Structures are given as C-alpha cells and as structure tokens.
Amino acid sequence: MARILVKDDDLAVRLSWLEKAAAHRGSVRVPLAAVCRVTVESEWWRALRGVALHGVWIPDVLSVGTRGHFGGQDFVALRPGRPVVCVELRPTAPLGLLAVSVRDDAQATAERLRCAAPDIDASTPWRQPLPVAEETKDSWRELDMYRNH
C-alpha cells in the first residue's frame, strides 16, 4: 500500500512494487512548497477526477496511476474501504492532485503534511472544484485526443 512521506523539502508518495507495476512509474515526488491544501476524503471514489491515462483501474479493487482532465493531471493510488489523503498542488506543479489511500490514520497524516508544508491554504477544509472548460460540440473528442496523447 502506498505511503506519504516528507523527505527534506519534498513530499513523496512511495508505492509498493505492485502499485509501481500498475502505475507504470516509480514513486512520486513534489516540492513541499507546491502543496497548497491537504484534505481527507472518507470515500475513495470521491478523489477520482477525469479519465485514466496511465495505470490500472479495477472497479472496487484498485485505482492507481495518472488521470487527466481539463485542469491538468492527477496521480492516484486508491483502495476501496480506506480513507484518502488528498494533496492539492499549486498550478506550477506537474500534477494538480495527489490522492492516496492510507493504511494508518488519515487525519493524522493530513495534519502532519499541513504542518510540514510552508504555505497551506486553510480557508476551507474541502477540495476546490476543477476549472470547467468551455463546452463545445467537439469537447468530448478533444478530451479523447488528450487521453490518447
């Protein structure tokens, strides 16, 4: 099961060997300065946004990999039945959200990350909505092209 760690000035999501194989990538690292909000979702499926780009999605078993949407890309490592720590990142980061099911206390993990990050937005305890792209008759075709890119 994935773990969220703070190493020096970075936040790292360390994946198990199975999750690495499923996600087609190694662990994920972002600077702590890129973290803008940390929240907890009690239901794993609420952390999913967009469409799967790389990785594995097995309904009610596992969702791990990169997901794409009009606002950018997210990285998820989710397992049903476990709370999810959602780490929103600033627009300058390569990802918009890290969503990780945690084995231990999700609230304690989230609080530890809030204390470690230098500039957290504490204005609301909820995740912010994704920007919505202008809908046109070709919106779905454009999203499908993004997915296959």
Side-chain angles (χ1 to χ4, degrees):
M1 178 167 255
R3 295 185 319 168
I4 300 176
L5 307 168
V6 174
K7 294 218 168 213
D8 301 321
D9 290 335
D10 289 339
L11 180 143
V13 177
R14 182 173 291 158
L15 303 173
S16 69
W17 68 269
L18 179 64
E19 291 166 330
K20 286 180 184 180
H24 304 291
R25 70 178 299 158
S27 298
V28 178
R29 288 180 83 100
V30 295
L32 273 173
V35 175
C36 65
R37 181 176 288 113
V38 180
T39 58
V40 174
E41 288 287 352
S42 58
E43 299 292 334
W44 69 274
W45 53 268
R46 291 180 187 239
L48 293 174
R49 309 188 301 184
V51 295
L53 297 178
H54 302 289
V56 172
W57 179 59
I58 304 169
D60 292 329
V61 176
L62 175 72
S63 182
V64 61
T66 306
R67 299 184 66 86
H69 46 75
F70 285 115
Q73 293 185 2
D74 298 342
F75 181 80
V76 300
L78 305 173
R79 295 190 184 232
R82 301 217 180 250
V84 178
V85 175
C86 296
V87 180
E88 287 183 67
L89 303 170
R90 300 188 191 289
T92 56
L95 298 165
L97 176 76
L98 300 174
V100 180
S101 294
V102 293
R103 181 178 311 190
D104 50 351
D105 183 10
Q107 291 293 347
T109 301
E111 189 57 38
R112 189 180 78 238
L113 295 175
R114 286 185 200 109
C115 291
D119 189 24
I120 290 285
D121 178 3
S123 62
T124 178
W126 297 282
R127 285 189 298 134
Q128 297 303 296
L130 279 173
V132 178
E134 180 106 12
E135 189 169 337
T136 66
K137 66 179 184 163
D138 295 324
S139 294
W140 292 107
R141 205 170 298 137
E142 292 170 9
L143 182 60
D144 194 42
M145 284 179 17
Y146 175 74
R147 180 180 181 186
N148 294 324
H149 186 266

